[in-house]
Amino acid sequence: MKDVTLKLELSLGPDTSDLDLRTGVHSGQVTAGVLRGQRSRFQLFGDTMNTAARMESSGERSRIQVSQVTADLLTEAGLSRWIIPRSIKMFVKGKGEMQTYW
């Protein structure tokens, strides 16, 4: 991530390299649609999106936080080396305590 923001600083100006990204990933069903208005946009809705958004907001800078469901899918795909369990359970609004992974 730092490599990307350092490259952005060249085209966007000073202090751009101070940007950081928090990401929350949850797996499940979503509903998709195009919202019309001044600018049409594609948007996803549902519990899966809400959970991912709450995981993002409770995450740490420059880290990807994934749910138990996503961690299980990664493990099934043989990618368990990509996940590290968090030492504490996270409280996620509307969900309660959740085991999450980096």
Side-chain angles (χ1 to χ4, degrees):
M1 181 67 191
K2 284 292 181 191
D3 295 340
V4 173
T5 56
L6 287 173
K7 288 178 186 175
L8 283 174
E9 187 172 31
L10 296 175
S11 59
L12 298 178
D15 300 327
T16 306
S17 64
D18 292 339
L19 293 174
D20 278 311
L21 180 70
R22 290 184 314 212
T23 305
V25 180
H26 182 60
S27 301
Q29 296 180 340
V30 296
T31 300
V34 176
L35 299 178
R36 303 247 183 234
Q38 287 181 333
R39 294 184 349 207
S40 295
R41 63 183 189 260
F42 183 79
Q43 192 151 354
L44 300 172
F45 304 93
D47 185 58
T48 300
M49 294 305 301
N50 292 337
T51 302
R54 289 184 175 124
M55 290 177 60
E56 175 272 326
S57 64
S58 67
E60 294 179 8
R61 294 165 47 153
S62 299
R63 298 200 81 172
I64 300 170
Q65 183 171 218
V66 301
S67 66
Q68 180 70 58
V69 175
T70 302
D72 292 344
L73 290 170
L74 288 168
T75 300
E76 287 174 23
L79 301 171
S80 60
R81 67 186 180 281
W82 287 7
I83 58 174
I84 301 167
R86 290 194 67 166
S87 58
I88 59 169
K89 289 189 176 185
M90 296 300 300
F91 181 81
V92 179
K93 182 180 172 186
K95 293 289 189 182
E97 283 191 346
M98 289 180 63
Q99 175 64 53
T100 60
Y101 301 80
W102 296 122

